Amino acid sequence: MRPFRAFLLAVLLSACAQPERAPDAPAPLPVAALPPLPASFESIPACPTCGSVALILRKDGGFLLRERVGRSDFSDFGRWSLLADGTISLQGEREKRRYAPRADGSLDALEGGGGDLMPKGAIEPIRGPFRLTGLYDGATFKDCRTGLAWPVDDSQAGGGLKREYLKTEAGMEGKPALVAIDARFDEEGTAREEVHIQRIPTILAGTACPASQVN
């Protein structure tokens, strides 16, 4: 074989051996800043019977969420945080969710169910009830997940919790007790927001928050 033909053949074989280059992945959409808080969002169901999500981000770092599936409502309360990449993470009693704020004011769903959320002009109350675990000292409830605290209302359920608390060792020693409650918040957004217990609370064995929920 002549030298030139041998060289040309080697070049062609080398070109064929090169791996095919994968197409470039589309660039991610830029993450925008959060709107002024509190801010309200909701999903747009894809069909009349599809589930929907409503979300309120509070100034104090808490979030309120309501998810509707069919005729059932599920509420969640927890802590939201701004991550280093500009996305927001929601940590509540239910599943973890993560969103990316966009320039049009929407939240792009990156993790968790419910899909993308669109901004709402008005703050729609989300009343719960929310399942909360926290420390109770006979007057005040401090949520473990967010570190936020509220006075407990003087309703029948609230009074019952106080009576049961005073019977415990922690209550007799004047120490907070770990409790689990189903409650809602009244007077949302005011300085006198209270926890209104809606079901019989449970006093747990402990005087400190679980390590996995400490704020």
Side-chain angles (χ1 to χ4, degrees):
M1 183 180 293
R2 295 180 180 179
F4 177 75
R5 291 182 60 187
F7 171 75
L8 182 60
L9 180 60
V11 171
L12 291 174
L13 290 174
S14 175
C16 292
Q18 293 295 323
E20 199 173 305
R21 184 182 177 186
D24 292 335
L29 294 173
V31 175
L34 281 172
L37 301 179
S40 184
F41 307 86
E42 66 178 353
S43 64
I44 299 178
C47 66
T49 58
C50 293
S52 63
V53 169
L55 170 68
I56 295 174
L57 297 180
R58 296 164 46 122
K59 290 182 180 180
D60 57 17
F63 74 83
L64 308 169
L65 184 142
R66 182 187 65 239
E67 184 169 14
R68 285 181 174 158
V69 181
R71 296 183 178 180
S72 300
D73 281 6
F74 304 93
S75 299
D76 200 8
F77 175 80
R79 180 180 72 244
W80 68 268
S81 56
L82 186 64
L83 304 182
D85 60 0
T87 63
I88 60 173
S89 174
L90 273 55
Q91 296 278 359
E93 284 288 329
R94 296 172 62 81
E95 66 179 322
K96 178 182 177 182
R97 300 170 191 260
R98 189 164 68 92
Y99 296 95
R102 298 305 182 198
D104 62 359
S106 66
L107 298 180
D108 186 12
L110 304 178
E111 185 178 353
D116 298 346
L117 304 180
M118 301 303 295
K120 292 189 64 177
I123 305 297
E124 176 192 358
I126 299 177
R127 296 299 185 192
F130 306 101
R131 170 58 56 91
L132 306 172
T133 301
L135 299 176
Y136 175 71
D137 62 4
T140 302
F141 174 84
K142 182 178 181 180
D143 179 55
C144 285
R145 197 175 296 278
T146 63
L148 301 175
W150 305 265
V152 176
D153 73 308
D154 57 0
S155 65
Q156 183 175 356
L161 173 60
K162 185 172 183 176
R163 288 191 295 272
E164 292 302 314
Y165 160 76
L166 292 174
K167 297 176 185 177
T168 66
E169 182 177 347
M172 290 185 285
E173 294 178 357
K175 298 178 180 179
L178 187 66
V179 300
I181 62 175
D182 289 316
R184 60 184 173 86
F185 307 115
D186 266 7
E187 299 181 21
E188 176 68 37
T190 71
R192 204 183 182 294
E193 189 176 61
E194 289 184 334
V195 165
H196 284 243
I197 299 175
Q198 295 192 276
R199 298 188 180 98
I200 298 174
T202 303
I203 297 181
L204 305 173
T207 57
C209 289
S212 60
Q213 292 190 14
V214 174
N215 179 45

